Amino acid sequence: MIPAQAATGTSPDTGTWPEDEAPAPLAPRARMLPALGAVYRAQLSRARVARIPLLFVATFQSVGIMIMMRGVVDGGTEAESVVAGSSVLVVAFVALNLLAQYFGQLRAGGGLDHYATLPVPPAAVVLGAAAAYASFTVPGAVVTALAGGALFQLPMAHLWVLAAVIPLSGAALSGLGAALGLLAPRQEIATLCGQLGMSAALLLGVLPPAGMPPVVGWARDLLPSTYGVEALTRSYAAHPDWPAVAVDLGICAAVGVLSLAAATWAYRRAATR
């Protein structure tokens, strides 16, 4: 407890503090970029040991799905959709599923109280954790895309589009995963929501969209990772439709901004309750 006089800088007797007894001023609030970098490095160091085995699981899962689909899909646009969806599925497994579990556990265990005491903006906490988790998806997504291209004999001259697909899809899915974990009333529900979201990314992203019922197509349009999958799918064409690729990436970026803003709001709401 801090006396009111100490908070206002006055002495209880004279109304002012002597120069040698005046309380030290509070440190200024950390700026956004330095705070973001500090949270990112801390989260990356903390999650490195625990999440790397799960990253291997996510990669093997996506590669295994492509191997199974190889017996059903021979090539063409369906094969392109399978490889693109499997590559983005690695991002969904880590950024959506694991991040929802992490924030659900953090809220249930009182870990948000620790972050609430730090002089860092709430957005830095959310963005730092999301960026750290999304960073783990880069090797797995690249390996999956390369393995899928070799398995289905797809052209990989424009695979550099993956450099834009991974961060933009990761931002959209990380924000969604963080929001689910922070808004869920219980840790078990946060885990369930994360797993359901990853299942949706699996079914709606990996399976070829051709021939799907209209309802499934509408649900696919609502999934943030769909636009990253579409952009990567278009890049396998001999002459990609670059304006369409740019539109897909732009939509993915806009959804990422909205989902991270929603996660920041959910963090403030959870930290103050």
Side-chain angles (χ1 to χ4, degrees):
M1 298 295 291
I2 302 176
Q5 292 84 358
T8 58
T10 59
S11 171
D13 298 327
T14 64
T16 58
W17 284 101
E19 293 183 0
D20 57 343
E21 297 181 7
L26 296 176
R29 190 176 184 85
R31 291 177 297 174
M32 179 63 186
L33 291 180
L36 175 60
V39 174
Y40 172 77
R41 290 190 298 270
Q43 288 290 338
L44 197 65
S45 176
R46 177 186 179 278
R48 183 181 295 117
V49 176
R51 302 308 178 191
I52 284 181
L54 295 176
L55 176 59
F56 281 110
V57 172
T59 305
F60 292 151
Q61 171 185 261
S62 295
V63 173
I65 290 173
M66 291 191 301
I67 293 175
M68 289 189 296
M69 293 297 293
R70 185 65 179 85
V72 180
V73 177
D74 293 331
T77 56
E78 292 185 346
E80 295 168 359
S81 298
V82 169
V83 175
S86 299
S87 302
V88 177
L89 182 62
V90 179
V91 181
F93 182 86
V94 177
L96 176 59
N97 185 25
L98 297 185
L99 200 60
Q101 296 182 30
Y102 169 73
F103 273 105
Q105 180 183 5
L106 198 67
R107 179 183 179 185
L112 291 181
D113 297 337
H114 165 71
Y115 284 104
T117 60
L118 299 178
V120 296
V125 178
V126 175
L127 292 176
Y133 274 72
S135 298
F136 284 104
T137 67
V138 175
V142 172
V143 169
T144 302
L146 292 175
L151 184 63
F152 289 93
Q153 298 180 353
L154 299 177
M156 292 183 282
H158 305 294
L159 198 59
W160 54 265
V161 174
L162 198 63
V165 171
I166 292 177
L168 295 180
S169 298
L173 294 174
S174 296
L176 181 59
L180 290 175
L182 291 167
L183 294 176
R186 296 176 57 186
Q187 180 181 352
E188 295 79 7
I189 297 179
T191 301
L192 176 62
C193 290
Q195 292 176 349
L196 289 176
M198 190 199 67
S199 299
L202 168 61
L203 296 175
L204 301 177
V206 175
L207 296 180
M212 284 187 176
V215 176
V216 178
W218 297 336
R220 189 172 182 270
D221 292 338
L222 295 175
L223 190 66
S225 59
T226 297
Y227 302 97
V229 173
E230 289 294 331
L232 186 58
T233 301
R234 297 179 194 275
S235 70
Y236 287 114
H239 302 285
D241 186 356
W242 294 117
V245 172
V247 169
D248 288 330
L249 293 177
I251 295 175
C252 197
V255 174
V257 172
L258 293 176
S259 64
L260 289 172
T264 302
W265 171 83
Y267 170 82
R268 288 194 182 100
R269 179 177 179 271
T272 54
R273 292 187 63 179

